[in-house]
Amino acid sequence: MTKDTATRLIHTRGRRMDQKTVNPPIERASTVLFDTASDLYGAQPGYGRMGLTVHRELEAALCVLENATHAKLTANGLQACALAIGSQAKAGAHVLFTDSAYGPTARYLERRLDRMGVGATRFDPRCGAAISNLIKPNTRIIYLESPGSLTFEISDTPAIVEIAQKRGICTILDNTWGAGLLHKPLDLGVDISVQALTKYAVGHADIFGGAVMSRDKRVAQQIIDCGEDWGISLAPDDAYTALRGLRSLKTRMDAHEAAGLKLAQWLSGRAEVSQVLHPALEEHPDHALWKRDFSGSNGLFSVILEAVDPAVLKRFFDALELFSMGFSWGGFESLIIPCDPQLKRAKGHWIEQKDGPLLRIHVGLEGTDDLIADLEAGFEAMRGS
C-alpha cells in the first residue's frame, strides 16, 4: 500500500455510507469537515461541541417527552439547572427559589449568583399564590422544583405561573422527578423545564447528562447563547446512552411506581416510621395537587423515622443487604441515604419539627418482597433482635 493510498483511506474512513440503522450513529468528532470555505462559517453544526447526529436525536426525543420545541443538552443535571438560571439572570436581578430545591442548585443560587451581583431569596414551596408578596421590582426568575428535593412538597405551579406571567417573570422548574413522563411543566405555563438525565432518563446509573427544554424561541436562543458562552456540551457516547435509556423509560417507570407505592404503604404501617413523604399517598398534604398536575409517581420518596439514637440507626443501615447507600437515583439498584447532613432549609421550615432522622429511599427494580424483607431486617436490628 502506497502512502498516498493510506492517506486516502484515513481521510475517507469517517464518511458515512448511505444506510439505515435502528440507532443513530455515534460520531466521535471534534472537527466537522466542509467542502467550501463559505460553508465553513455558515453551516451548523460547525464544530463537534455543538452536537452531531445522536445529539439531535436525543434533543428531538426530549422535546416530544416534555412537549417542548427546543432542547439544549448539558453534561450533567446541575449544569442544566445552572444554565437555565444563568441564561435568564443578569447583574442587579433577583431570583426567588423554592426552599426545597436540590442542594447544589441552592448553593449555586446563593453563592455563585451572589458573586455575579444577583440576589436570591428562598420561598416556601407551599406558598402558592402568596408568592406575590415576595416579588421585588427586580425579580426576574422564579425557580421551582416539584416535588421538592428530599422533602417532596408539591408546589401549586399553575398559581405561581399565573402571577409570574402577569409580572413578566421567567419560571423554571426542575422536572427530574417527573422525568417528562409524569409531569409536563411547559403545559402548565412554565417557561423552562430542566432535567438531570442522569436519573430516570438514563436509568442505569452509568453516565451523567442534563437537558434544558422550552417552547419560547427567544428563551431558547438565550439558553443556546449562554451554553455556547460557557462551552457546555455532552459527549456523544453519553448522548447515545441517554437516548437508549429513554426507550425503556415508560416500562421502567411503571415498575418503579408500583414497587415504590408498595413499599411506601408498607412503611406507613411501621411503628418505627413517623411519616412517609410520598405525594401519591392520600395522607400526603399535597396529594390533591399531585393528583391534579401529575400522571403518576416513581420509586423515589422519603420517610421520617421516630426519634432514634444514632447508634441504633447505624444498626439499621448495617443490617441492610439489598439497599445500598449512595447518592443519585433512578437506576436498577435500590438506595437509601440519611438526609439530615445535607438538609439545609430556611429557618421555620416545617422539617425542623420532625421527630427523628429523614431517610430518602429509591426503590429500584429488585423484587419488592425482597426489598421489604431487607427493610424488615433493618428494623429488627434496630430493636436489637
Side-chain angles (χ1 to χ4, degrees), residues 176-358:
T176 303
W177 191 91
L181 185 69
L182 310 175
H183 192 44
K184 308 288 186 182
L186 301 181
D187 288 356
L188 298 179
V190 171
D191 295 300
I192 301 173
S193 181
V194 177
Q195 275 198 53
L197 302 180
T198 311
K199 309 301 196 286
Y200 279 125
V202 168
H204 295 82
D206 51 2
I207 65 110
F208 292 93
V212 185
M213 283 74 60
S214 67
R215 288 180 181 172
D216 186 287
K217 186 175 181 180
R218 179 186 62 84
V219 170
Q221 191 60 53
Q222 291 171 334
I223 294 167
I224 291 170
D225 291 345
C226 187
E228 290 181 353
D229 292 342
W230 287 357
I232 289 176
S233 63
L234 180 64
D237 290 88
D238 292 346
Y240 178 89
T241 304
L243 182 62
R244 184 175 62 184
L246 287 182
R247 290 182 166 185
S248 62
L249 179 63
K250 177 64 166 59
T251 301
R252 290 185 287 106
M253 290 292 268
D254 287 347
H256 285 298
E257 177 180 44
L261 282 170
K262 184 173 181 178
L263 264 72
Q265 291 162 350
W266 179 81
L267 286 163
S268 295
R270 298 292 308 192
E272 301 89 349
V273 175
S274 170
Q275 188 177 359
V276 177
L277 307 179
H278 191 310
L281 297 183
E282 290 187 1
E283 59 264 32
H284 189 281
D286 307 319
H287 177 72
L289 289 176
W290 170 83
K291 193 171 182 179
R292 183 192 70 185
D293 295 341
F294 289 75
S295 61
S297 62
N298 56 44
L300 190 74
F301 61 95
S302 289
V303 298
I304 300 174
L305 299 183
E306 296 288 353
V308 61
D309 186 89
V312 175
L313 183 61
K314 183 179 183 301
R315 293 206 302 266
F316 170 80
F317 288 123
D318 289 346
L320 300 178
E321 294 184 358
L322 289 181
F323 280 93
S324 300
M325 279 191 284
F327 294 107
S328 197
W329 41 271
F332 177 91
E333 298 79 10
S334 293
L335 301 171
I336 186 168
I337 60 171
C339 298
D340 290 324
Q342 59 175 314
L343 198 61
K344 298 177 182 178
R345 299 291 159 88
K347 188 174 181 180
H349 193 284
W350 68 268
I351 201 69
E352 292 179 346
Q353 310 302 318
K354 67 186 178 67
D355 300 313
L358 176 71

Side-chain angles (χ1 to χ4, degrees), residues 68-122:
T69 56
H70 302 82
K72 169 63 179 175
L73 304 176
T74 67
N76 54 65
L78 176 58
Q79 193 176 74
C81 296
L83 173 61
I85 297 165
S87 70
Q88 304 302 307
K90 61 181 180 180
H94 173 249
V95 180
L96 285 169
F97 73 98
T98 178
D99 194 29
S100 60
Y102 175 54
T105 303
R107 182 187 63 209
Y108 167 78
L109 284 157
E110 293 181 318
R111 184 175 72 184
R112 182 56 47 189
L113 286 194
D114 180 68
R115 297 176 182 178
M116 298 166 62
V118 178
T121 305
R122 294 172 181 251

Side-chain angles (χ1 to χ4, degrees), residues 7-35:
T7 300
R8 286 197 299 273
L9 279 175
I10 292 170
H11 279 268
T12 58
R13 203 171 282 164
R15 304 274 178 93
R16 289 172 52 199
M17 298 180 67
D18 185 18
Q19 60 186 2
K20 293 182 179 180
T21 59
V22 171
N23 300 306
I26 303 175
E27 297 152 317
R28 301 180 183 91
S30 57
T31 300
V32 178
L33 301 178
F34 299 96
D35 293 328

